[in-house]
Amino acid sequence: MSLDLLDTPVRLTWDLHGPDGLPGTVELLAIAERIFAGGVFYLTLEERPLAHPALAPLLDRLLGGGCRLLVTCRGTDEELAALERFAPPLPAVELEVAPFVAGPQIDAARLQRVLDRLRRAGSEATLRLTPLRSNLQVISKILLLCRELGVGRFKLPNARIGDTFRACPAVELPRWQELEAFRQSWAAAALPAAALPALEIHDRFLWEIMTPANEQARSEYGGCQAANSLGHVDAHGTVYACAAWPEPLGTLCSAPLEQIWQSPRRFAVRERIGQVPSGCGGCRDYPACWGGCRGLGERLNTPGGGRDLMCRGPRP
């Protein structure tokens, strides 16, 4: 069965570079063919896709089939030059903000120059920032800067963990203590809703702070979606439940995507997600939260019983 026939549309992320190098053109296009044949309509190319030498034939294949494609970018000259050479323009680009942030400061002038180049190339960018201990306090500044720079969307994606991915060290991921400090600074900033861009926030507990009383807008993130509506493919075609759940389900080098998605390994992940983490027992909000990010919880929060790293504990 093709993935596009499932009740829940599958959103894949795909790394085009890996820690051990990048796939060649033949390997890359073979992986793309299996993703395309699986009926995936939502695909995000990550890990410097604009710097891959086979970008043009890859985009021709994916866009030619009607795939809803999103491309990430770090704003380097190499990436921007590649984007400017490509026709037609890519309508959806996510620009990483981290390269423009140094401690509490944001290089707004350089960010403006990169956004201008993207717009001249026909691409309107969403800004994105993976929440870390070191950057939580700069989020308010970025949101205000979005208004000044005419950016309409801002995304806080889930963290990438494990040796399989180019990940940030686990020690850099925020815990509930940092979230409490962020809660106080967010309240003090008192940003008016009209001044904010459209927000996409993967973590449940950041969402509660930044967009209170807006539960309906989290419909696509109703509990951990690893191996359900979310999946990840590494640079050499290995499929994972999610970029935050580094457990391989199979490889596109030897099996079609739909076969991997119907495999016992994928169902085993969903069965584990269906179990209540011991650290969530008795929590009144579990029917809305479902334990938050279960990949982060299972891998990095054993002392907390497997609940989300940013959760302080069960709410009575």
Side-chain angles (χ1 to χ4, degrees):
M1 179 175 65
S2 180
L3 270 65
D4 62 336
L5 299 179
L6 297 177
D7 291 337
T8 302
V10 177
R11 299 173 180 267
L12 284 186
T13 53
W14 178 18
D15 290 348
L16 264 63
H17 290 74
D20 57 348
L22 69 163
T25 301
V26 173
E27 181 184 5
L28 186 80
L29 294 179
I31 295 170
E33 189 62 40
R34 289 210 149 154
I35 290 174
F36 177 81
V40 174
F41 286 152
Y42 303 95
L43 178 63
T44 301
L45 301 182
E46 299 194 340
E47 291 301 318
R48 299 182 295 117
L50 293 171
H52 198 290
L55 176 69
L58 173 66
L59 292 181
D60 284 344
R61 182 66 187 100
L62 294 174
L63 292 172
C67 183
R68 299 183 186 181
L69 193 65
L70 184 63
V71 176
T72 62
C73 174
R74 295 182 64 83
T76 65
D77 286 337
E78 179 185 18
E79 292 172 303
L80 295 173
L83 184 65
E84 290 163 348
R85 290 193 299 268
F86 185 75
L90 293 177
V93 174
E94 286 188 351
L95 179 62
E96 299 277 3
V97 186
F100 304 89
V101 176
Q105 303 301 319
I106 307 169
D107 191 341
R110 186 163 71 91
L111 181 58
Q112 177 72 78
R113 291 194 295 270
V114 170
L115 287 170
D116 288 344
R117 285 188 68 178
L118 287 170
R119 287 163 178 156
R120 287 196 295 270
S123 299
E124 192 62 40
T126 293
L127 296 187
R128 61 181 270 164
L129 181 73
T130 301
L132 302 175
R133 285 179 164 180
S134 59
N135 65 27
L136 282 178
Q137 299 303 326
V138 81
I139 289 175
S140 296
K141 292 182 179 180
I142 295 173
L143 291 174
L144 289 174
L145 192 58
C146 284
R147 186 176 187 181
E148 294 179 25
L149 301 180
V151 175
R153 295 189 64 84
F154 179 68
K155 179 177 180 178
L156 291 165
N158 57 339
R160 300 158 60 86
I161 62 172
D163 295 336
T164 306
F165 312 126
R166 190 200 309 217
C168 58
V171 70
E172 293 187 17
L173 299 179
R175 270 61 171 180
W176 65 265
Q177 294 91 338
E178 287 81 28
L179 199 65
E180 286 304 310
F182 175 73
R183 185 190 307 275
Q184 296 173 23
S185 66
W186 180 261
L191 300 182
L196 300 179
L199 298 174
E200 182 178 348
I201 306 169
H202 282 235
D203 185 82
R204 165 80 195 195
F205 301 95
L206 276 173
W207 179 271
E208 283 184 338
I209 294 171
M210 297 175 66
T211 60
N214 196 13
E215 185 64 37
Q216 293 301 317
R218 277 194 70 81
S219 57
E220 65 183 278
Y221 298 117
C224 179
Q225 291 298 311
N228 188 41
S229 68
L230 295 179
H232 179 77
V233 181
D234 74 8
H236 295 287
T238 302
V239 180
Y240 298 86
C242 172
W245 195 305
E247 185 172 319
L249 304 179
T251 173
L252 294 174
C253 296
S254 60
L257 180 58
E258 56 268 36
Q259 178 179 324
I260 294 172
W261 216 247
Q262 294 297 320
S263 70
R265 288 184 178 182
R266 205 260 304 182
F267 289 120
V269 170
R270 291 309 304 171
E271 183 177 352
R272 281 151 63 188
I273 291 172
Q275 298 168 0
V276 181
S278 61
C280 298
C283 180
R284 72 168 190 271
D285 287 340
Y286 185 78
C289 167
W290 305 106
C293 178
R294 301 292 292 277
L296 292 176
E298 180 167 310
R299 297 280 171 158
L300 302 175
N301 196 20
T302 302
R307 65 175 177 270
D308 193 293
L309 289 172
M310 292 199 227
C311 177
R312 184 169 189 167
R315 299 171 182 177

